[in-house]
Amino acid sequence: MEVKNESNTVETKEEGNTGVSRRSFLKILGQTSAVVGAAGCGKSSAQKILPYVKAQDDQIKGVSVWYNTTCTECDAGCGIQVRTREGRAVKIDGNHDNPINRGGVCAIGHSALQNMYDPDRVRQPVVSKPGKVGEFQPVAWAEGIQKLVTRLKPKSGKVAYLGNSKSGAMASLISDFCSGLRIEKFKYNSVSTSAESKACELVYGVKGIPTYDLEKADVILNFGADYLETWVSPCELARGWADSRRKEHPARVIHVEPRLSLTGASADSWLMANPGTEVQLALALLKLLIERGKGSGVSVEVVAKIQNLTKDLTLDKVAAETGIAKDKILLAADSLYNAKASAVLAGGASATTATPLPLLVAANLLNIILGNVGTTINLASTKRESDGDLDDVKKLITMMKKGQIETLIVDGSNPVFNLPPSFEFEYGIKKVQMLVSLSSQIDETTHYAHLILPTNTGLESWGDVEPTTGVYGLIQPVMKPVFDTKSYGDLLIEIARAAGSQGVARAQTDFLGFLKERWQGIHVNSGSTKNFQDFWLESVEAGGYFANRSAAQQLDAERVTVRVQDAAFSMKFVNAKFGDDKSSAEDNLYLLPYPSVRSFDGRSANRPWLNEIPDPMSQISWDSWVEIHPDTAKKHGIVKDDLVTIRNHWGEINVGVVLTPYIHPNVVACPVGFGHTTYGRFAQGNGGNVMHLLSPTTTTGVGSVALFSTKVRIRRGRGTVELANMQGSDSQMDRELARVSYVGGAAAVSDHAHAEDHGHNNHHEPKQMYVQREHPVYKWGMAVDLAACTGCSACVVACYSENNIPTVGRKVVSQGREMSWLRIERYYDTKNHENGAEELHVSFLPMMCQQCGNAPCEPVCPTYATYHSEEGLNVMVYNRCVGTRYCSNNCSYKVRRFNWIEVNFPEPMNWQLNPDVTPRSVGVMEKCTFCIQRIVEAKDNAKDLGRLVEDGEIKPACVQSCPTQALTFGNLKDPKSKVSMLSHDPRAYKVLDHHLNTQPAVSYLEDIKYREV
Amino acid sequence: MAKQCCESKNHEEPTVDYARVTELVNNMLKPPGAGWYALFFTCVVAVIWGGSCFAKQIMEGLHVAGINHPIGWGVYITNFVFWVGIAHSGTLISAVLFLFRAKFRMPIYRLAEAMTVFAVLTAGLFPLIHVGRPWFAYWLLPYPNERALWPNFRSPLLWDVFAVSTYLTVSTTFFIVGLIPDIASVRDKAKSSFRKMLYTVTSLGWTGSNSQWKHYMSAYLFFAGLATPLVVSVHSVVSWDFAVGLVPGWHATIFPPYFVAGAIFSGVGMVLTLIIPLRKVFHLEEIITPFHFEGMVKLILLTSGIVSYAYATEFYVAWFSNNLFERFQFWFRPFGDFKLAFWGMFTCNCIIPLTLWFKKLRSNIAYLFIVSIFINIGMWLERFNIIFTSLAREFIPAAWGGYNFSWVEVGITVGAFGWFGMYMCLFIKFFPAVSITEIKELLPPPVRKKLPVGH
């Protein structure tokens, strides 16, 4: 770069040795600066920010737009609010107005974003490469649709459609579609509540799953139903359960199952039953209760039939068969007898045996004997069953194997993965001439497709659901489709039109029109006085139309009369059988596959959040495992870190092992949904698919997959596998981090009371050495109610989603370098009572930055990258952090996370990142901030309105998401705020504060547990 | 002429004369042989290996090292404390023992002082290596800036910055000043023009005049006095890196004296590791005699005793405190997952030095060398114990974890040894590693004529 300045040269020459004159000095200074400044504007360093040429009407840049819609991850139909920024969906919150979830969002619900932004999704229509399976090349939409349409012409051979049962408008459209084009429709649902529904029909006379108003119960007896995890409607039932525990007199929960599930972990009394024998316990309870006089509201004939059924039962026999002690059975009977309202549920591990109906019927009989129908059992609002009957699928398989199916359209279900291979679906599908998949994920079934016409995910679609009678949820797209995919409904209409079926969708041109037409009917039935357009817009804005579930509904519920069918008593009430004719004598263990909060049935496997956030019970991430009792493991010489081979006639899998004493010694349990062979980079290679071991047995009287009916043998596999286990120690080591207060008799007594020298949780503030900080306006604090926390980890996923927390993968997790700001610690503690009995208590402790008033991390940072704010927060300044990690060492709660690696979010997962939260670079420390971005946003809004922030206005992501509302956030300076009142609750305490005087801003409320004795 | 000194206990001075001393020291400065080149080359290769590991770490982030959550400090901080500790012994020997007029330090102290300077230089690498963003490490320095940001003076890491940099400057100045007369002596005998130039510059024009000697002696005394408190203060400050934290196993008031004693202990071990081969290779047996080793052994026994007492105090206080967390930590150390490190440390630091009570063993120079190696291993393990085991088992059991030993850390550790060794090799070959001045002070000055007895 040259500065031409003749005048300067002349002047310098003139002055010679006397130096530069003042004038020329200033000239040089000015010109050099200008040139340097100009040089700085080189093309390499300039970055452009372009505003919209035409501003959009509904968007202000920097301001979020929220859309209410309904989650489509499972059939529960929870209402969600999706936050979008500049047209991109970034966060899923819950919709408070939806009566199903009332604002809660489960872990899988949050991960719907990662489904939409899945980098492995099919981005445009593709056809399989000629002669190759599983390899695809792009094709245009018109061409792709045409390929299918030619197969739909009358002479083109048999066409079949396989899909799961949808509700609402979509179900109707699919029916029309299939009947209009003479396509034979086959239904397949990977999750089944058919058994439960059939049992309801048999005992109550009502088909479907009743609504359980658990909050009204004083006693809940549960045979295996994992309602806090995946059963029926987990957000709804978890909320009901939590409300029942928060009452003045908390509900007592008794849980019976062969393996400790997440739901069982929250029970007061966990009874380990011999597999398949729970029905005996149910019958024994029926007998005991009728003997003591219950059953007054039931007809004499029914009571007589029950007595006949149970006449040969003795307590000793039942105790011996089930393996449950007599006193426990009597205690259960006592509790049920004395309860004003109780609820008996059955499902999950206990009701997926080969003969689930006897137990389910017995449980329902218990409900009617106890008079629960009309209080806790609401038969006026029922849920549609998730029809797991496999008759359709078996017929389809037979036809496919015979080569009778020329074209098969699959909607996105994945029977090749979900259905046990012993049903030979994969064998059959290979014979289909043209397999068309409408999925946008290349799962195991779509892998065989010849043509993939990808459709929008739930967040990009219109639709509706009716999860419970009277609740109509609406699904609306929250953003334009990320990829070149089409709406499912629109696609069907387009195909039908092109194939000549004009009658489909009743002459509507697109699915939205069809949907609106259907809603005319709902509008009429609602009795609303508004016109349809207003009604429709209001419903879309609200996320649906939720008929008022109030006293009117209650009256309806009480008015339903129960009609017990004769067929309820015509089955054999014997223990469930295990094994099949192909089982060998060596197959001596019962295999229990169970869906988990993370994996469900495997549909959410390619989502890094759900893989990385550990399973709350086993604390394992990125892998599957088999749970084995230590005695059983010892017999086979299996120790920790071993690879275990599980096999039987039908198949074999190799997985890592988790040793747990909380499983029946003859049972081995594997989570469902792992072991994908395709589906994406995050899903592949994670563990084994337990379905490979299942026989083609279907449940008697129902026809669904008999999940818990197989026998297997295990042996030590070749090699070891280090499962990425997040948890350092399973025991609290008597450190009283997660405390419990025992309810025995009348009053709650804190177990902690006699351990310390003060008689109650110390609410006295100890004398402080230094002058304490002043908090002029706000002092943010949180309260965590351990009695309501189920350990489901929804809050953890919410935090990952809101705060751009990277997932690091299996290897880095096993090195101890996971990035979660909030973790759920799971502790097993056994208490030994004076009478020799051992009582298990499982605690879940959500641990996040405690924002300590006397923070140990603050004084030790050499660069002042962390300090205390005026509002009580421990603030982290990423830009100032040099990365010495002293703060993490000194943090007694170990909540600080260091960025060990450079993270990348593969496109388009980076679209999900929250623009209000800085992504952190490598070498920098990060931690929970109480969602300071939400605090700032709320303060800004309040300032615009000229007031202070009100209680409940700010909800950090975890607080917002919790399905049981276990977390509360607010201003501790306001004595009337919910968090202030909770922090002064007799159950409130602070973790480690007593030892360390860290003055955390987070108060924990002790868990509540009924003493057994 | 030169007689081997006898085994008498009262023998304090070496029985050599001025000329012999000069000759021996100049021998050390002869052009290097194959052995020196081999050693130097190995050190340089180690430095290159370590440097490339560090480069990898900068490119990829700290995940290549073994540190994780909860063990946020690992091999690097262990190395840091190890090297700073070693440095202290040098200053003790050259400054503190000078003030005490301990004669046994004479032939050793120069090398020990060199060891101090190079050890501090090595230790100074580790704060840069272990931080997440080393390119911002200068933020720990209090420099005026537009944002009016100062570092956090409450943080022990910042006290470290001051302590170690003070230590480096004082030790280096002490070292350089002390070397002046010896360099002048060597300058006068230097043959190659490079050496002549080097010595001329570094001897700062020393002529040996009386006033120069007077100034030299008072300067030396002054620096010795200045360096002495640093021996205690610097490692106390380093110990506060741990003691100021509330981690069980770190939070103990005994740390400053414990660390200082340990530092001297490990430094004496390192001095022996360096001096014994040096003595053998350069035939310095006349200058460095068993008497001097006896003095070193006494230091070892004393400091080993203090360190053992400190271990006992830690365990006792943990038990006596009835504090659940402290008790668990001190159970975990000898019986938990890292127990091998604990028992290794205990054996090397407490048990093996006890063998030096036996005269037969401590007079055996080869045995002393072996013991010195064990001392160094033991002291490295002590820092490992303090850092790793305390962090592995803190307050919240769910957060307990282990360590992932990595090749990058091994490479950097070896590179640090290579870095130190590299400087040592250069020093031994270019500068007098044994103090000509002070040894000559003890010898009778050469006279022209020997007066016969009775005259």
Side-chain angles (χ1 to χ4, degrees), chain A residues 662-692:
Chain A
Y662 309 115
I663 189 172
H664 194 274
N666 291 344
V667 172
V668 292
C670 289
V672 169
F674 290 94
H676 279 279
T677 48
T678 71
Y679 210 13
R681 68 193 73 178
F682 304 112
Q684 277 165 264
N686 287 345
N689 187 357
V690 65
M691 294 306 197
H692 284 204

Side-chain angles (χ1 to χ4, degrees), chain B residues 369-440:
Chain B
F369 181 73
I370 294 171
V371 169
S372 74
I373 302 277
F374 273 114
I375 291 172
N376 280 315
I377 294 174
M379 284 311 293
W380 198 95
L381 286 176
E382 178 194 285
R383 277 57 172 263
F384 175 97
N385 259 282
I386 294 171
I387 296 173
F388 287 54
T389 58
S390 307
L391 290 175
R393 297 291 184 268
E394 261 201 61
F395 294 96
I396 305 264
W400 288 354
Y403 199 73
N404 324 292
F405 286 96
S406 86
W407 278 113
V408 166
E409 290 180 330
V410 172
I412 290 180
T413 307
V414 168
F417 275 94
W419 168 268
F420 177 79
M422 192 175 72
Y423 284 120
M424 264 305 179
C425 285
L426 288 170
F427 173 73
I428 292 169
K429 258 308 148 189
F430 283 99
F431 289 96
V434 172
S435 168
I436 306 171
T437 313
E438 298 225 357
I439 294 176
K440 283 186 180 174

Side-chain angles (χ1 to χ4, degrees), chain A residues 212-224:
Chain A
Y212 291 97
D213 292 329
L214 293 177
E215 63 272 8
K216 300 196 181 110
D218 291 325
V219 175
I220 300 174
L221 170 65
N222 183 11
F223 294 94

